[in-house]
Amino acid sequence: MAQKLLMPKATAVWLVDNTALSFDQIADLCKLHPLEVKAIADGESAQGIKGLDPISTGQLSREEIARAEGNPNHKLKLSEPKVRVPESKRKGPRYTPVSKRQDRPNAILWLVRNHPELKDAQVSRLVGTTKSTIEQIRDRTHWNSANLTPMDPVTLGLCSQIDLDLEVEKSAKDRPLPSAEELDNARLASASEMESLGDSVSSSSQEDKEMSADEVFSRFASLNNNDDEDKDEDDR
């Protein structure tokens, strides 16, 4: 794992105040823009940040700083750490707090319904469960299937939105390409089809507009006559 500078902006503040390094050298070490380092030197930025001495933290040596001050083209290199912490590698399913374990079946049901493209291994990584539990929920053989409610695992705090998006993106890459028939069904209507549809709609609306006032009143009169005949039959 590449070594990273601790508190880069605070380190840049200290280097600006205590060394003759150029803005480019400080920016390269602290992964900042040279204009941002210039703003720190002018007092326009990082006014409330206390400088951090990289020599006292063991990240830079005095000799390295002096070498860079004598050569503007020299790039500062961080000192080798005295203690190396091994990188932790998580194996197996994600750990789920005891207080949230009862929500895992609801989260699994949500993932199965909303993202059926996810594999069991991906669901297991997201919510920290076993494949047998996922299969039971898929097959509705889980002991509590009748009471399960689909709930978003991100809302429940079982996984982050970034992790969910990454798994969905991975499954999308493995998804086969759509067939020609599917593409043909999903295509947009052509311009000629839209024009013919518009002509049919406009012709029907034109027919409605061309109906005269006499025809409208005659229709109302026929409706009234029918109502009178119905009343007469009821009176008989």
Side-chain angles (χ1 to χ4, degrees):
M1 182 175 65
Q3 189 180 0
K4 295 182 180 180
L5 183 69
L6 298 175
M7 301 177 65
K9 187 163 286 189
T11 302
V13 172
W14 189 91
L15 293 174
V16 168
D17 295 337
N18 298 276
T19 66
L21 297 172
S22 65
F23 294 157
D24 291 334
Q25 288 174 312
I26 298 175
D28 180 72
L29 175 68
C30 301
K31 300 296 184 287
L32 300 174
H33 195 278
L35 293 178
E36 190 173 1
V37 179
K38 183 178 183 301
I40 294 174
D42 296 338
E44 299 175 357
S45 176
Q47 295 179 358
I49 298 179
K50 183 180 179 181
L52 176 65
D53 184 1
I55 299 175
S56 62
T57 58
Q59 293 197 291
L60 279 178
S61 63
R62 295 185 183 275
E63 293 77 10
E64 180 68 14
I65 293 176
R67 191 179 301 111
E69 288 176 333
N71 182 10
N73 296 323
H74 179 74
K75 292 186 177 182
L76 290 164
K77 296 180 180 179
L78 297 177
S79 302
E80 289 292 330
K82 296 180 180 180
V83 178
R84 288 190 176 274
V85 180
E87 183 179 359
S88 60
K89 294 183 179 180
R90 180 174 56 84
K91 294 182 179 180
R94 181 191 300 272
Y95 172 76
T96 305
V98 178
S99 60
K100 296 182 179 180
R101 290 180 184 177
Q102 61 183 359
D103 296 328
R104 281 191 297 193
N106 295 327
I108 297 171
L109 182 60
W110 188 93
L111 291 171
V112 169
R113 288 189 178 181
N114 293 276
H115 295 286
E117 71 275 8
L118 291 177
K119 300 178 181 178
D120 290 351
Q122 293 176 301
V123 177
S124 179
R125 283 197 299 267
L126 287 172
V127 298
T129 186
T130 60
K131 290 187 177 181
S132 61
T133 304
I134 300 172
E135 291 176 357
Q136 291 173 3
I137 294 176
R138 286 185 189 273
D139 302 336
R140 299 182 180 275
T141 57
H142 190 267
W143 65 272
N144 197 27
S145 294
N147 299 322
L148 293 182
T149 304
M151 298 183 70
D152 189 349
V154 177
T155 305
L156 294 173
L158 296 175
C159 67
S160 66
Q161 186 65 49
I162 296 177
D163 293 336
L164 178 58
D165 293 342
L166 287 175
E167 295 296 344
V168 172
E169 184 179 356
K170 288 180 183 178
S171 60
K173 291 181 180 178
D174 299 334
R175 188 184 305 169
L177 296 176
S179 61
E181 183 179 357
E182 293 175 346
L183 290 175
D184 185 64
N185 293 333
R187 68 179 180 85
L188 296 175
S190 62
S192 59
E193 292 173 349
M194 292 300 296
E195 289 178 358
S196 61
L197 178 61
D199 293 339
S200 61
V201 173
S202 61
S203 61
S204 61
S205 60
Q206 186 67 24
E207 290 177 358
D208 294 339
K209 290 181 180 178
E210 291 176 354
M211 184 181 294
S212 63
D214 295 336
E215 293 177 351
V216 175
F217 286 117
S218 64
R219 289 191 179 184
F220 279 116
S222 62
L223 290 175
N224 291 331
N225 293 332
N226 292 333
D227 292 340
D228 293 338
E229 292 176 358
D230 293 339
K231 289 181 180 179
D232 294 339
E233 292 178 358
D234 293 337
D235 293 338
R236 292 175 186 173

